[in-house]
Amino acid sequence: MKYKLGELIKDFNVTKKEVTDLLKEHFSGTKNNSTILTEEELNYIFECFTLKNSVESFDEYYALAALKEEKPEPEPIQAEPEEKGAEPEEKAAKKKKSTSKESTEAGKKQSKEEKIQKSVKGEDEKAPAAKKYDTKPAAKKQDTEKSSEDNVIRKKEKRVVNTRSSNVNIERYNEKYDHMAGDKYRSDKMLSKQKITQRSQQKNKMRGKKETEAERLNRIANERKAKPITVVLPEEITVHDLAIKLKATAAEVVKKLFMLGMMVTVNDVIDFDTASLAAMEFHAKVEKEVVVTIEDRIIDDSEDTDENLETRAPVVVVMGHVDHGKTSLLDYIRKANVTSTEAGGITQHIGAYRVKVGDKNITFLDTPGHEAFTTMRARGAQVTDIAILVVAADDGIMPQTIEAINHAKAAEVSVIVAINKMDKPAANPDRVKQQLVEYGLVPEEWGGDVPCIPVSAKTGEGVNDLLEMVNLVADVKELKANPNRAAKGTVIEARLDKGRGPIASILVQNGTLNKGDIIVAGTAVGRVRAMTDDKGRKIEKAGPSVPVEITGLDDVPTGGDVFNVVSDERLARELVEQRKDKIKEEIFAKQTKVTLDNLFDQMQLGEMKELKIIVKADVQGSVEAVKQSLEKLSNEEVRVSVIHGAVGAVNESDVMLANASNAIIVGFNVRPDAIAEETAERDGVDMRLYRVIYDCIEEIESAMKGMLAPKFREVVLGKAECRNVIKIKSIGFIAGSYVLNGKIVRNADVRIVRDGVIIADDKIASLQRFKDTVKEVAAGYECGIGLERFNDLKEGDIIEAYEMQEYRD
């Protein structure tokens, strides 16, 4: 049988503390009222309370029990109404009788208790006392029977009340019914009666003196001034909510704001400063609401003290124009051939490498140079300390070199110019320096602060000087970080691996990242399962300025996302869901709603043709780059819309989406799986796969030309002169004509020219030569021409046949 602690406390009539104290002495664990006690615990408690409540003799207990059984029940209170005709003698007799009976019973009770106590103590009068105890109740029983008979007689008496009388005290009878009713019912009725009385009394009081509106407002203002309230206000609040917080009406708050010079309505949103001014008008103390977000709870953003900071390696980005030798320079530094693995010798996505120069480490980021990767290059500038701007000595500054300069300036990083290809005969470093000055980079030799190092990635000339300059600039900048805290950094690149799932290349900027840490990167969250360095070796931890590749995320993050190591995985996933919802809201907010102002623009958009594209690439950065490049191809007549972009191979779901939405699939450095390829061939889905982005843009642009609204020009076919108008009943009017030049073709468009003015546009319905229907009539021949609609032909009219030919620019 299950026996709970609460039931035991109730049955034994003891406190919870007594029981729990006993259990704590011999048993472990915390007990509450719903805890089910074991058999061993129950036996122990029963034994303890049995010993505690044990007595030497049960005589006293049995004697008291017998006394309780003999005790008569108290008589019910008889609430009889008094009548005017009741005699005083009868009342006195009743009162005397009840008094004598009570005194007799009290005396009997006292003598019984005295005798019981004597019997318990073991005195010699034990036996006689017991005898008296047995004989006395008989007399008492007779008195009780008499009394009950009197009560029965009284209950049978009936009183007649003349309700037709002018003076009847109804409240006395109500009081009788109240006594007869239960306690709860009576108390509820009494309270409700009392409330009604109080309200009526207050109403009567108010009738004497009515408060004016001005007096009421003054009274409220004085009360607020005497007892100012404290309100907590958020960054933004509606006027209605502010009124609730101030315990005032919305009209009062609107009036105060109007007096402060602000025209608002009840539903308008006001900022904290405005709400504070309004609250102070109501003599309220204002406090600003401190919103503690999930990010504040799980992400440590505290500032590091100087004692905790240690010197870290510089992060260097190599930037410049296409084919100016960025990757070749970095390749020479790393002593590894990276360029040969890139399609077309062009760097496709960011790589991060750690190089040891002397006794110091330098972290290099290699960004692609093509203009499509502007976003990726800007991202590289945001996470670096020093930018090496590679400029070819024979080409000079090019458009993407200018972009790189602007990115470096925006990121406020130190710039070192590497004038590359010095081994070429056409190298002219002075011209490069002159061009740099035009864009605000003054070389050190010319009195500026930008080091310009002539180098050759092919021969290695000047490379050591460049690295020494990087270390020198890093020493001047005093780059420091705190390795003894939770890691924080930036996602350099991310991709989806078929076997290992989402993989992210990240750069730790502060703190130390350990294997097993929970990290949040944008809308991706997970635990670091494996961590490898730039050389492919597995490592357990990574400190500041160390690039690593990690697995364990639940989604592919976007390059440039900030990652943080957090303490609570549940809250981290909740934070990611909030971020995803926010992104959805932003996308929804961008959708243009139709209004009278933009109705015509929306109608034009409806007529515009749309090229829907699905982009799949090997890394997230490439997806972004291809998407931006393709969307730039949009023009007034064709809009390019990337409806889906993701990392990984082209799969069946991509083909199904393309088939449903009439889109084409563009794959960049990826291949379709067997099922996707088969499905695309069966459904006729156009799938284009590329390795170099130039080819992708060029081919899509060519495809778009076929989608442009065709342009037409008018080509005159020939002219004929109307020399006779023939009326045929079944057909209508026929123009007997002579072809002046060119040819007249059946079903051709024609215009009727009379005296040099176009009077009608029509179409040839019939063309005959003699009695034969012909397709065309050449110049110098006569023919009969019938038009579809126009009948008002006259001799001398010129019938000009033409057609609209489509052409492309």
Side-chain angles (χ1 to χ4, degrees), residues 617-653:
D618 56 343
V619 291
Q620 189 69 32
S622 298
V623 173
E624 296 170 16
V626 174
K627 183 179 177 181
Q628 289 178 5
S629 298
L630 294 177
E631 287 179 345
K632 283 180 184 176
L633 298 175
S634 298
N635 54 40
E636 293 179 358
E637 294 179 339
V638 179
R639 178 176 60 206
V640 177
S641 175
V642 178
I643 61 172
H644 176 60
V647 175
V650 179
N651 53 39
E652 188 182 11
S653 63

Side-chain angles (χ1 to χ4, degrees), residues 322-325 328 391-396 419-432 454-461:
V322 173
D323 201 30
H324 274 204
S328 298
V391 185
D394 54 346
D395 282 349
I419 304 174
N420 196 17
K421 301 187 180 180
M422 288 298 294
D423 55 298
K424 286 197 171 183
N428 188 355
D430 291 334
R431 184 169 70 90
V432 173
V455 297
S456 172
K458 190 173 182 181
T459 63
E461 176 194 346

